[in-house]
Coordinates of all heavy atoms in Angstrom, one line a residue:
M1 N -8.3 -25.9 -82.1 CA -8.2 -24.7 -81.4 C -8.5 -23.5 -82.4 O -8.1 -23.5 -83.5 CB -6.8 -24.5 -80.8 CG -6.7 -23.3 -80.0 SD -5.1 -22.7 -79.3 CE -4.4 -24.2 -78.6
Y2 N -9.3 -22.6 -81.9 CA -9.7 -21.5 -82.7 C -9.0 -20.2 -82.2 O -8.6 -20.1 -81.0 CB -11.2 -21.3 -82.6 CG -12.0 -22.5 -83.2 CD1 -12.4 -23.5 -82.4 CD2 -12.2 -22.5 -84.5 CE1 -13.0 -24.6 -82.9 CE2 -12.8 -23.6 -85.1 CZ -13.3 -24.6 -84.3 OH -13.9 -25.7 -84.9
N3 N -8.9 -19.2 -83.1 CA -8.3 -18.0 -82.8 C -9.4 -17.0 -82.2 O -10.0 -16.3 -83.0 CB -7.6 -17.4 -84.0 CG -6.8 -16.2 -83.7 OD1 -6.4 -15.9 -82.6 ND2 -6.5 -15.4 -84.8
L4 N -9.5 -17.0 -80.9 CA -10.5 -16.2 -80.3 C -9.9 -14.9 -79.8 O -8.7 -14.8 -79.4 CB -11.1 -16.9 -79.1 CG -11.8 -18.2 -79.3 CD1 -12.2 -18.9 -78.0 CD2 -13.1 -18.0 -80.1
T5 N -10.7 -13.8 -79.9 CA -10.2 -12.5 -79.3 C -10.2 -12.7 -77.8 O -10.9 -13.6 -77.2 CB -11.1 -11.4 -79.7 OG1 -12.4 -11.6 -79.1 CG2 -11.3 -11.2 -81.2
P6 N -9.6 -11.8 -77.0 CA -9.6 -11.9 -75.6 C -11.1 -11.9 -75.0 O -11.4 -12.6 -74.1 CB -8.8 -10.8 -75.1 CG -7.8 -10.5 -76.2 CD -8.6 -10.8 -77.4
Q7 N -11.9 -11.0 -75.6 CA -13.3 -10.9 -75.2 C -14.1 -12.2 -75.5 O -14.9 -12.6 -74.7 CB -14.0 -9.7 -75.9 CG -13.4 -8.4 -75.6 CD -12.1 -8.0 -76.4 OE1 -11.7 -8.7 -77.3 NE2 -11.5 -7.0 -76.0
E8 N -13.8 -12.8 -76.7 CA -14.5 -14.0 -77.0 C -14.1 -15.2 -76.1 O -14.9 -16.0 -75.6 CB -14.2 -14.4 -78.5 CG -14.9 -13.5 -79.5 CD -14.4 -13.7 -80.9 OE1 -13.3 -14.4 -81.1 OE2 -15.1 -13.2 -81.8
M9 N -12.8 -15.2 -75.7 CA -12.3 -16.2 -74.8 C -12.9 -16.0 -73.4 O -13.3 -17.0 -72.8 CB -10.8 -16.1 -74.7 CG -10.2 -17.2 -73.8 SD -10.3 -18.8 -74.5 CE -8.9 -18.9 -75.5
E10 N -13.1 -14.8 -72.9 CA -13.7 -14.5 -71.7 C -15.2 -15.0 -71.7 O -15.7 -15.6 -70.8 CB -13.6 -13.1 -71.3 CG -14.3 -12.7 -70.0 CD -14.2 -11.2 -69.7 OE1 -13.1 -10.7 -69.6 OE2 -15.3 -10.6 -69.6
L11 N -15.9 -14.6 -72.8 CA -17.3 -15.0 -72.9 C -17.4 -16.5 -73.1 O -18.3 -17.1 -72.5 CB -17.9 -14.3 -74.1 CG -19.3 -14.5 -74.4 CD1 -20.2 -14.0 -73.2 CD2 -19.8 -13.7 -75.6
S12 N -16.6 -17.1 -73.8 CA -16.6 -18.6 -73.9 C -16.4 -19.3 -72.6 O -17.2 -20.2 -72.3 CB -15.5 -19.0 -74.9 OG -15.4 -20.4 -75.1
S13 N -15.5 -18.8 -71.8 CA -15.3 -19.3 -70.4 C -16.5 -19.1 -69.6 O -16.9 -20.0 -68.8 CB -14.1 -18.7 -69.8 OG -12.9 -18.9 -70.5
L14 N -17.1 -18.0 -69.7 CA -18.3 -17.7 -68.9 C -19.4 -18.6 -69.3 O -20.1 -19.1 -68.4 CB -18.7 -16.2 -69.1 CG -19.9 -15.7 -68.4 CD1 -19.7 -15.7 -66.9 CD2 -20.3 -14.3 -68.8
I15 N -19.6 -18.9 -70.5 CA -20.7 -19.8 -71.0 C -20.4 -21.2 -70.5 O -21.3 -21.8 -70.0 CB -20.8 -19.7 -72.6 CG1 -21.4 -18.4 -73.0 CG2 -21.7 -20.9 -73.1 CD1 -21.3 -18.1 -74.5
I16 N -19.2 -21.6 -70.6 CA -18.9 -23.0 -70.2 C -19.1 -23.2 -68.7 O -19.7 -24.1 -68.2 CB -17.4 -23.3 -70.5 CG1 -17.3 -23.5 -72.1 CG2 -16.9 -24.6 -69.8 CD1 -15.9 -23.6 -72.6
R17 N -18.7 -22.2 -67.9 CA -18.9 -22.2 -66.4 C -20.4 -22.2 -66.1 O -20.9 -22.9 -65.3 CB -18.2 -21.1 -65.7 CG -16.7 -21.3 -65.5 CD -16.1 -20.3 -64.5 NE -16.5 -18.9 -64.7 CZ -16.0 -18.1 -65.6 NH1 -15.0 -18.5 -66.4 NH2 -16.4 -16.8 -65.6
T18 N -21.1 -21.3 -66.7 CA -22.5 -21.1 -66.4 C -23.3 -22.3 -66.7 O -24.2 -22.7 -66.0 CB -23.1 -19.9 -67.3 OG1 -22.4 -18.7 -66.9 CG2 -24.6 -19.7 -67.0
L19 N -23.0 -23.0 -67.9 CA -23.8 -24.1 -68.3 C -23.2 -25.4 -67.9 O -23.7 -26.5 -68.2 CB -24.1 -24.1 -69.8 CG -24.8 -22.8 -70.3 CD1 -24.9 -22.8 -71.8 CD2 -26.2 -22.7 -69.7
N20 N -22.0 -25.4 -67.2 CA -21.3 -26.6 -66.8 C -21.1 -27.5 -67.9 O -21.4 -28.7 -67.9 CB -22.1 -27.3 -65.7 CG -21.3 -28.2 -64.9 OD1 -20.1 -28.1 -64.8 ND2 -21.9 -29.3 -64.3
L21 N -20.5 -26.9 -69.0 CA -20.2 -27.7 -70.2 C -18.8 -28.4 -70.1 O -17.9 -27.9 -69.4 CB -20.2 -26.8 -71.4 CG -21.5 -26.1 -71.7 CD1 -21.3 -25.2 -72.9 CD2 -22.6 -27.1 -72.0
S22 N -18.7 -29.5 -70.7 CA -17.4 -30.2 -70.7 C -16.6 -29.8 -72.0 O -16.5 -30.6 -72.9 CB -17.5 -31.7 -70.6 OG -18.3 -32.2 -71.7
A23 N -16.2 -28.6 -72.1 CA -15.5 -28.1 -73.2 C -14.4 -27.1 -72.8 O -14.5 -26.6 -71.7 CB -16.4 -27.4 -74.2
E24 N -13.4 -26.9 -73.6 CA -12.4 -25.9 -73.3 C -12.7 -24.6 -74.1 O -13.2 -24.7 -75.2 CB -11.0 -26.4 -73.7 CG -10.6 -27.6 -72.9 CD -10.4 -27.3 -71.5 OE1 -9.9 -26.2 -71.2 OE2 -10.7 -28.2 -70.6
P25 N -12.6 -23.4 -73.4 CA -12.9 -22.2 -74.1 C -12.3 -22.0 -75.5 O -13.0 -21.5 -76.4 CB -12.4 -21.1 -73.1 CG -12.4 -21.8 -71.8 CD -12.1 -23.2 -72.1
H26 N -11.0 -22.4 -75.6 CA -10.4 -22.2 -76.9 C -10.8 -23.2 -78.0 O -10.5 -23.0 -79.1 CB -8.8 -22.2 -76.7 CG -8.4 -23.5 -76.2 ND1 -8.3 -23.8 -74.8 CD2 -8.0 -24.7 -76.8 CE1 -7.9 -25.0 -74.6 NE2 -7.7 -25.6 -75.8
N27 N -11.6 -24.2 -77.6 CA -12.1 -25.1 -78.6 C -13.5 -24.8 -79.1 O -14.1 -25.6 -79.8 CB -12.1 -26.5 -78.0 CG -10.7 -27.1 -77.9 OD1 -9.8 -26.7 -78.6 ND2 -10.5 -28.0 -76.9
I28 N -14.0 -23.7 -78.7 CA -15.4 -23.2 -79.1 C -15.2 -22.4 -80.4 O -14.5 -21.4 -80.4 CB -16.1 -22.4 -78.1 CG1 -16.1 -23.1 -76.8 CG2 -17.4 -21.9 -78.6 CD1 -17.3 -23.8 -76.4
D29 N -15.8 -22.9 -81.5 CA -15.7 -22.2 -82.8 C -16.5 -20.9 -82.6 O -17.7 -20.9 -82.4 CB -16.3 -23.0 -83.9 CG -16.3 -22.4 -85.3 OD1 -16.0 -21.2 -85.4 OD2 -16.6 -23.1 -86.2
P30 N -15.9 -19.7 -82.8 CA -16.6 -18.4 -82.5 C -17.7 -18.2 -83.6 O -18.5 -17.3 -83.4 CB -15.5 -17.4 -82.6 CG -14.4 -18.0 -83.4 CD -14.5 -19.5 -83.2
E31 N -17.7 -18.9 -84.7 CA -18.7 -18.7 -85.7 C -19.7 -19.8 -85.8 O -20.6 -19.8 -86.7 CB -18.0 -18.4 -87.0 CG -17.3 -17.1 -86.9 CD -16.7 -16.6 -88.2 OE1 -16.9 -17.2 -89.3 OE2 -16.0 -15.6 -88.2
A32 N -19.6 -20.8 -85.0 CA -20.5 -21.9 -85.0 C -21.8 -21.5 -84.3 O -21.8 -20.7 -83.3 CB -19.9 -23.1 -84.2
P33 N -22.9 -22.1 -84.7 CA -24.2 -21.7 -84.0 C -24.2 -22.1 -82.5 O -23.7 -23.1 -82.1 CB -25.2 -22.6 -84.7 CG -24.6 -23.1 -86.0 CD -23.1 -23.1 -85.7
L34 N -24.7 -21.1 -81.7 CA -24.8 -21.4 -80.3 C -26.0 -22.3 -80.0 O -26.0 -23.3 -79.4 CB -24.9 -20.1 -79.5 CG -23.7 -19.3 -79.3 CD1 -24.0 -18.0 -78.6 CD2 -22.6 -20.0 -78.6
Y35 N -27.1 -21.9 -80.6 CA -28.4 -22.6 -80.4 C -28.4 -23.9 -81.4 O -28.3 -23.7 -82.6 CB -29.6 -21.7 -80.8 CG -30.9 -22.4 -80.6 CD1 -31.5 -22.4 -79.3 CD2 -31.6 -22.9 -81.6 CE1 -32.7 -23.0 -79.1 CE2 -32.9 -23.5 -81.4 CZ -33.4 -23.6 -80.1 OH -34.6 -24.2 -79.9
G36 N -28.5 -25.0 -80.8 CA -28.6 -26.3 -81.5 C -27.3 -26.7 -82.3 O -27.3 -27.6 -83.0
G37 N -26.2 -26.0 -82.0 CA -24.9 -26.3 -82.7 C -24.2 -27.4 -81.9 O -24.8 -28.2 -81.2
E38 N -22.9 -27.5 -82.1 CA -22.1 -28.5 -81.5 C -22.1 -28.5 -80.0 O -21.8 -29.6 -79.4 CB -20.7 -28.5 -82.1 CG -20.0 -27.2 -81.8 CD -18.6 -27.1 -82.5 OE1 -18.6 -27.3 -83.7 OE2 -17.7 -26.7 -81.9
L39 N -22.4 -27.4 -79.4 CA -22.5 -27.4 -77.9 C -23.9 -27.9 -77.4 O -24.0 -28.2 -76.3 CB -22.4 -25.9 -77.4 CG -21.0 -25.3 -77.7 CD1 -21.0 -23.8 -77.2 CD2 -19.9 -26.1 -76.9
G40 N -24.8 -28.1 -78.3 CA -26.1 -28.6 -78.0 C -27.0 -27.7 -77.1 O -27.8 -28.2 -76.3
L41 N -26.8 -26.4 -77.3 CA -27.6 -25.5 -76.4 C -29.0 -25.4 -76.9 O -29.3 -25.5 -78.1 CB -26.9 -24.1 -76.5 CG -25.5 -24.0 -76.1 CD1 -25.0 -22.6 -76.0 CD2 -25.2 -24.7 -74.8
D42 N -29.9 -25.2 -75.9 CA -31.3 -25.1 -76.2 C -31.8 -23.7 -75.7 O -31.0 -22.9 -75.3 CB -32.2 -26.2 -75.6 CG -32.1 -26.3 -74.1 OD1 -31.7 -25.3 -73.4 OD2 -32.4 -27.3 -73.5
S43 N -33.1 -23.5 -75.8 CA -33.6 -22.1 -75.5 C -33.4 -21.8 -74.0 O -33.2 -20.6 -73.6 CB -35.1 -22.0 -75.8 OG -35.9 -23.0 -75.2
I44 N -33.5 -22.8 -73.1 CA -33.2 -22.5 -71.7 C -31.8 -22.1 -71.5 O -31.5 -21.2 -70.7 CB -33.5 -23.8 -70.8 CG1 -35.0 -24.2 -71.0 CG2 -33.2 -23.6 -69.4 CD1 -36.0 -23.2 -70.6
D45 N -30.8 -22.8 -72.2 CA -29.4 -22.4 -72.1 C -29.2 -21.0 -72.6 O -28.5 -20.2 -71.9 CB -28.6 -23.3 -72.9 CG -28.6 -24.8 -72.4 OD1 -28.6 -25.0 -71.2 OD2 -28.5 -25.7 -73.3
I46 N -29.9 -20.6 -73.7 CA -29.7 -19.2 -74.2 C -30.3 -18.2 -73.2 O -29.7 -17.2 -73.0 CB -30.5 -19.1 -75.5 CG1 -29.8 -20.0 -76.6 CG2 -30.5 -17.7 -76.0 CD1 -28.4 -19.7 -76.9
L47 N -31.4 -18.6 -72.5 CA -31.9 -17.7 -71.5 C -30.9 -17.5 -70.3 O -30.7 -16.4 -69.8 CB -33.2 -18.3 -70.9 CG -33.9 -17.5 -69.8 CD1 -34.3 -16.1 -70.3 CD2 -35.2 -18.2 -69.4
E48 N -30.3 -18.6 -69.9 CA -29.3 -18.6 -68.8 C -28.1 -17.7 -69.2 O -27.6 -16.9 -68.4 CB -28.8 -20.0 -68.5 CG -29.8 -20.8 -67.7 CD -29.2 -22.1 -67.2 OE1 -28.1 -22.1 -66.5 OE2 -29.8 -23.1 -67.6
I49 N -27.6 -17.8 -70.5 CA -26.6 -17.0 -71.0 C -27.0 -15.5 -71.0 O -26.2 -14.7 -70.6 CB -26.1 -17.4 -72.4 CG1 -25.5 -18.8 -72.4 CG2 -25.2 -16.4 -73.0 CD1 -25.3 -19.5 -73.8
S50 N -28.2 -15.3 -71.4 CA -28.7 -13.9 -71.4 C -28.7 -13.3 -70.0 O -28.3 -12.1 -69.9 CB -30.1 -13.9 -72.0 OG -30.6 -12.6 -72.0
M51 N -29.1 -14.1 -69.0 CA -29.1 -13.6 -67.7 C -27.7 -13.3 -67.1 O -27.5 -12.3 -66.5 CB -29.9 -14.5 -66.8 CG -31.3 -14.6 -67.1 SD -32.4 -15.6 -65.9 CE -31.5 -17.0 -65.7
V52 N -26.8 -14.2 -67.4 CA -25.4 -14.0 -66.9 C -24.7 -12.9 -67.6 O -23.9 -12.1 -67.0 CB -24.6 -15.3 -66.9 CG1 -24.1 -15.7 -68.3 CG2 -23.4 -15.3 -65.9
V53 N -25.0 -12.7 -68.9 CA -24.4 -11.6 -69.6 C -25.0 -10.2 -69.1 O -24.2 -9.3 -68.9 CB -24.8 -11.7 -71.1 CG1 -24.7 -10.4 -71.9 CG2 -23.9 -12.7 -71.8
S54 N -26.2 -10.2 -68.7 CA -26.8 -9.0 -68.1 C -26.2 -8.7 -66.8 O -25.8 -7.6 -66.5 CB -28.3 -9.2 -67.9 OG -28.9 -8.1 -67.3
K55 N -26.0 -9.7 -66.0 CA -25.4 -9.5 -64.7 C -23.9 -9.1 -64.7 O -23.5 -8.2 -64.1 CB -25.5 -10.8 -63.9 CG -25.1 -10.7 -62.4 CD -25.4 -12.0 -61.7 CE -25.0 -11.9 -60.2 NZ -25.3 -13.0 -59.5
K56 N -23.1 -9.8 -65.6 CA -21.7 -9.5 -65.7 C -21.4 -8.3 -66.4 O -20.5 -7.5 -66.0 CB -21.0 -10.7 -66.3 CG -19.5 -10.5 -66.4 CD -18.7 -11.7 -66.6 CE -17.2 -11.5 -66.8 NZ -16.5 -11.1 -65.6
Y57 N -22.0 -8.0 -67.5 CA -21.7 -6.9 -68.4 C -22.6 -5.8 -68.4 O -22.4 -4.7 -69.1 CB -21.5 -7.4 -69.9 CG -20.5 -8.5 -70.0 CD1 -20.8 -9.9 -70.2 CD2 -19.1 -8.2 -70.0 CE1 -19.9 -10.8 -70.4 CE2 -18.1 -9.2 -70.1 CZ -18.5 -10.5 -70.3 OH -17.6 -11.5 -70.4
G58 N -23.8 -5.9 -67.8 CA -24.8 -4.8 -67.8 C -25.5 -4.7 -69.1 O -26.0 -3.6 -69.4
V59 N -25.5 -5.7 -69.9 CA -26.1 -5.7 -71.2 C -27.4 -6.5 -71.2 O -27.3 -7.7 -70.9 CB -25.2 -6.2 -72.3 CG1 -25.8 -6.3 -73.7 CG2 -23.9 -5.4 -72.4
T60 N -28.5 -5.9 -71.4 CA -29.8 -6.6 -71.4 C -30.2 -7.0 -72.8 O -30.2 -6.1 -73.7 CB -30.9 -5.8 -70.7 OG1 -30.4 -5.5 -69.4 CG2 -32.2 -6.5 -70.7
I61 N -30.5 -8.2 -73.0 CA -31.0 -8.7 -74.3 C -32.4 -9.2 -74.1 O -32.6 -10.3 -73.5 CB -30.1 -9.8 -74.9 CG1 -28.7 -9.3 -75.0 CG2 -30.6 -10.2 -76.3 CD1 -27.7 -10.4 -75.3
S62 N -33.4 -8.4 -74.4 CA -34.8 -8.8 -74.1 C -35.3 -9.9 -75.0 O -34.8 -10.1 -76.1 CB -35.7 -7.6 -74.2 OG -35.9 -7.2 -75.5
N63 N -36.3 -10.7 -74.5 CA -36.8 -11.8 -75.3 C -37.5 -11.3 -76.5 O -37.6 -12.0 -77.5 CB -37.8 -12.6 -74.4 CG -37.1 -13.5 -73.5 OD1 -36.0 -13.9 -73.7 ND2 -37.8 -13.9 -72.4
D64 N -38.1 -10.1 -76.5 CA -38.8 -9.6 -77.7 C -37.9 -8.7 -78.6 O -38.4 -8.1 -79.5 CB -40.0 -8.9 -77.3 CG -39.8 -7.7 -76.4 OD1 -38.6 -7.5 -75.9 OD2 -40.7 -6.9 -76.1
S65 N -36.6 -8.8 -78.4 CA -35.6 -8.0 -79.2 C -35.7 -8.6 -80.6 O -35.6 -9.8 -80.8 CB -34.2 -8.1 -78.6 OG -33.3 -7.5 -79.5
E66 N -35.8 -7.7 -81.6 CA -36.0 -8.1 -83.0 C -34.7 -8.8 -83.5 O -34.8 -9.6 -84.5 CB -36.4 -6.9 -83.9 CG -35.4 -5.8 -83.9 CD -35.9 -4.6 -84.7 OE1 -37.1 -4.2 -84.4 OE2 -35.1 -4.1 -85.5
N67 N -33.6 -8.5 -83.0 CA -32.3 -9.1 -83.5 C -31.8 -10.1 -82.5 O -30.6 -10.5 -82.7 CB -31.3 -8.0 -83.8 CG -31.0 -7.1 -82.6 OD1 -31.7 -7.1 -81.6 ND2 -29.9 -6.4 -82.7
K68 N -32.6 -10.7 -81.7 CA -32.1 -11.7 -80.7 C -31.5 -12.9 -81.4 O -30.5 -13.4 -81.0 CB -33.2 -12.1 -79.8 CG -32.8 -13.0 -78.7 CD -33.9 -13.4 -77.8 CE -33.5 -14.4 -76.7 NZ -34.5 -14.8 -75.9
V69 N -32.1 -13.3 -82.5 CA -31.7 -14.5 -83.2 C -30.3 -14.2 -83.7 O -29.4 -15.1 -83.6 CB -32.6 -14.9 -84.3 CG1 -32.0 -16.0 -85.2 CG2 -34.0 -15.4 -83.7
E70 N -30.1 -13.1 -84.3 CA -28.7 -12.7 -84.8 C -27.7 -12.6 -83.7 O -26.6 -13.0 -83.8 CB -28.8 -11.4 -85.6 CG -27.5 -10.9 -86.2 CD -27.0 -11.8 -87.3 OE1 -27.7 -12.5 -87.9 OE2 -25.8 -11.8 -87.5
I71 N -28.1 -12.0 -82.6 CA -27.2 -11.8 -81.5 C -26.7 -13.1 -81.0 O -25.5 -13.3 -80.7 CB -27.8 -11.0 -80.3 CG1 -28.2 -9.6 -80.7 CG2 -27.0 -11.0 -79.1 CD1 -29.1 -8.9 -79.8
F72 N -27.5 -14.1 -80.8 CA -27.2 -15.4 -80.3 C -26.8 -16.4 -81.4 O -26.7 -17.6 -81.1 CB -28.3 -15.9 -79.4 CG -28.4 -15.3 -78.0 CD1 -29.3 -14.3 -77.8 CD2 -27.5 -15.6 -77.0 CE1 -29.4 -13.7 -76.5 CE2 -27.5 -15.0 -75.8 CZ -28.4 -14.1 -75.5
S73 N -26.7 -16.0 -82.6 CA -26.4 -16.9 -83.7 C -25.0 -17.6 -83.5 O -24.8 -18.7 -83.9 CB -26.5 -16.2 -85.0 OG -25.5 -15.2 -85.2
C74 N -24.1 -16.9 -82.9 CA -22.7 -17.5 -82.6 C -22.0 -16.7 -81.5 O -22.4 -15.5 -81.2 CB -21.9 -17.5 -83.9 SG -21.5 -15.9 -84.6
L75 N -21.0 -17.2 -81.0 CA -20.2 -16.6 -80.0 C -19.6 -15.2 -80.4 O -19.7 -14.2 -79.7 CB -19.0 -17.5 -79.6 CG -18.1 -17.0 -78.5 CD1 -18.8 -16.9 -77.2 CD2 -16.8 -17.8 -78.4
R76 N -19.2 -15.1 -81.6 CA -18.6 -13.9 -82.2 C -19.7 -12.8 -82.2 O -19.4 -11.6 -81.8 CB -18.0 -14.1 -83.5 CG -17.3 -12.9 -84.1 CD -16.2 -13.2 -85.0 NE -15.1 -13.8 -84.3 CZ -14.2 -14.6 -84.8 NH1 -14.3 -15.0 -86.1 NH2 -13.2 -15.1 -84.1
N77 N -20.9 -13.1 -82.7 CA -21.9 -12.1 -82.7 C -22.3 -11.6 -81.3 O -22.5 -10.4 -81.1 CB -23.1 -12.6 -83.4 CG -22.9 -12.6 -84.9 OD1 -21.9 -12.3 -85.4 ND2 -23.9 -13.1 -85.6
L78 N -22.4 -12.6 -80.4 CA -22.8 -12.2 -79.0 C -21.7 -11.3 -78.4 O -22.0 -10.3 -77.8 CB -23.0 -13.5 -78.2 CG -23.3 -13.3 -76.7 CD1 -24.6 -12.5 -76.5 CD2 -23.5 -14.7 -76.0
S79 N -20.4 -11.7 -78.6 CA -19.3 -10.9 -78.1 C -19.3 -9.5 -78.7 O -19.1 -8.5 -77.9 CB -18.0 -11.6 -78.4 OG -16.9 -10.8 -77.9
T80 N -19.5 -9.4 -79.9 CA -19.6 -8.1 -80.6 C -20.7 -7.2 -80.1 O -20.6 -6.0 -79.8 CB -19.7 -8.2 -82.1 OG1 -18.6 -9.0 -82.6 CG2 -19.8 -6.9 -82.8
Y81 N -21.9 -7.9 -79.9 CA -23.0 -7.1 -79.3 C -22.7 -6.6 -77.9 O -23.0 -5.5 -77.6 CB -24.3 -8.0 -79.3 CG -25.5 -7.3 -78.8 CD1 -26.3 -6.6 -79.7 CD2 -25.9 -7.4 -77.5 CE1 -27.4 -5.9 -79.2 CE2 -27.0 -6.7 -77.0 CZ -27.8 -6.0 -77.9 OH -28.9 -5.3 -77.4
I82 N -22.2 -7.5 -77.1 CA -21.8 -7.1 -75.7 C -20.8 -5.9 -75.7 O -21.0 -4.9 -75.0 CB -21.2 -8.3 -74.9 CG1 -22.3 -9.3 -74.7 CG2 -20.6 -7.8 -73.6 CD1 -21.8 -10.6 -74.2
E83 N -19.8 -6.0 -76.5 CA -18.8 -4.9 -76.6 C -19.4 -3.6 -77.0 O -19.1 -2.6 -76.5 CB -17.7 -5.3 -77.6 CG -16.7 -6.3 -77.1 CD -15.6 -6.6 -78.1 OE1 -15.0 -5.7 -78.5 OE2 -15.5 -7.8 -78.4
S84 N -20.4 -3.6 -78.0 CA -20.9 -2.4 -78.5 C -22.1 -1.8 -77.6 O -22.4 -0.7 -77.7 CB -21.5 -2.6 -79.9 OG -22.6 -3.5 -79.9
H85 N -22.6 -2.6 -76.6 CA -23.7 -2.2 -75.8 C -23.3 -2.1 -74.3 O -24.1 -1.8 -73.5 CB -24.9 -3.1 -76.0 CG -25.5 -2.9 -77.3 ND1 -25.1 -3.5 -78.4 CD2 -26.6 -2.1 -77.7 CE1 -25.8 -3.2 -79.4 NE2 -26.7 -2.3 -79.0
Q86 N -22.1 -2.5 -74.0 CA -21.7 -2.6 -72.6 C -21.6 -1.2 -72.0 O -21.1 -0.3 -72.5 CB -20.3 -3.3 -72.5 CG -19.9 -3.6 -71.1 CD -18.6 -4.4 -71.0 OE1 -17.9 -4.6 -72.0 NE2 -18.3 -4.9 -69.8
V87 N -22.1 -1.1 -70.7 CA -22.0 0.1 -70.0 C -20.7 0.1 -69.2 O -20.4 -0.8 -68.5 CB -23.2 0.2 -68.9 CG1 -23.1 1.4 -68.1 CG2 -24.5 0.1 -69.6
I88 N -19.9 1.1 -69.5 CA -18.6 1.2 -68.9 C -18.6 2.0 -67.7 O -19.2 2.9 -67.5 CB -17.6 1.7 -69.9 CG1 -17.5 0.7 -71.1 CG2 -16.2 1.8 -69.3 CD1 -16.7 1.2 -72.3

């Protein structure tokens, strides 16, 4: 079990539901790689996450964004990016 912030826990749950993964939100390492990591996510999965993040949080991460690799490098980075770019 990992010590996730409430925002990371919410995002972890959203990713699990969106991709129909057989994992528990609190068992996702917030600093483990999302792409190709223990969750086995591929580029299509990252695209799906990007779309659901846009829909739920109003945060768009474009395919040609120069820091896209950094944003999706781990759950914690994605959560931090969403928090700092979310339209309230």
Side-chain angles (χ1 to χ4, degrees):
M1 184 185 317
Y2 295 95
N3 189 18
L4 301 171
T5 67
Q7 295 82 9
E8 290 169 346
M9 184 66 87
E10 179 181 301
L11 184 58
S12 179
S13 296
L14 181 65
I15 290 170
I16 289 169
R17 280 193 317 275
T18 299
L19 301 177
N20 198 27
L21 300 175
S22 60
E24 294 296 323
H26 60 273
N27 288 333
I28 306 264
D29 181 350
E31 296 187 3
L34 286 176
Y35 183 82
E38 59 189 49
L39 294 176
L41 305 186
D42 60 19
S43 58
I44 300 299
D45 296 324
I46 298 297
L47 179 60
E48 285 185 58
I49 293 169
S50 180
M51 290 187 317
V52 78
V53 161
S54 176
K55 185 175 183 177
K56 179 163 178 73
Y57 300 105
V59 175
T60 302
I61 306 166
S62 71
N63 280 337
D64 57 353
S65 177
E66 61 187 45
N67 57 345
K68 183 177 179 183
V69 171
E70 179 66 22
I71 294 167
F72 284 102
S73 64
C74 65
L75 179 69
R76 183 152 289 151
N77 285 1
L78 179 57
S79 179
T80 300
Y81 182 85
I82 291 168
E83 285 181 54
S84 65
H85 290 82
Q86 188 173 10
V87 177
I88 298 175

